[in-house]
Amino acid sequence: MAQAMRPNTAGSLFATDHKPHPLQHTLLAVTLVLGVTAFVSAMFHSLHLLSSWAGLVGILTGGAGQFVSETTRERFGLILGLGAAGVGLLLGMAHGGLFGGVIG
């Protein structure tokens, strides 16, 4: 019954290796903040510059985070941030784009 004494973390969605990952956690936090900013600001037509730029930068930081992520917890959060940033980018592009109204 030794297996009853050990916690089962192998099947957990939020399994971690109990080591610090400052770069990965920073990229995760930046991606989530930019994704939420892009998603929320995309609901307003006049904020298309904010939503499109936040979405674009969020996708870039999320891609870099996916490249260096080491745990499932990091990847799960990055996917949520990437999805929100992608929706924000696409809606921002539909409402006027990255430079809409600024150039020309």
Side-chain angles (χ1 to χ4, degrees):
M1 293 296 288
Q3 65 271 21
M5 300 301 289
R6 287 187 233 133
N8 182 13
T9 59
S12 174
L13 179 62
F14 297 111
T16 180
D17 60 355
H18 302 290
K19 296 178 185 174
H21 302 124
L23 173 64
Q24 291 84 352
H25 292 161
T26 302
L27 288 171
L28 171 62
V30 169
T31 301
L32 284 174
V33 167
L34 288 171
V36 169
T37 301
F39 185 78
V40 171
S41 63
M43 301 306 159
F44 304 98
H45 294 295
S46 61
L47 296 177
H48 63 87
L49 289 173
L50 176 63
S51 64
S52 57
W53 280 106
L56 180 63
V57 175
I59 288 174
L60 294 175
T61 58
Q66 284 286 356
F67 186 69
V68 298
S69 66
E70 295 185 14
T71 64
T72 304
R73 179 187 315 202
E74 295 162 357
R75 292 183 192 106
F76 182 77
L78 285 167
I79 290 297
L80 291 178
L82 277 166
V87 170
L89 172 66
L90 293 177
L91 287 175
M93 294 298 285
H95 294 158
L98 296 168
F99 301 106
V102 176
I103 295 178

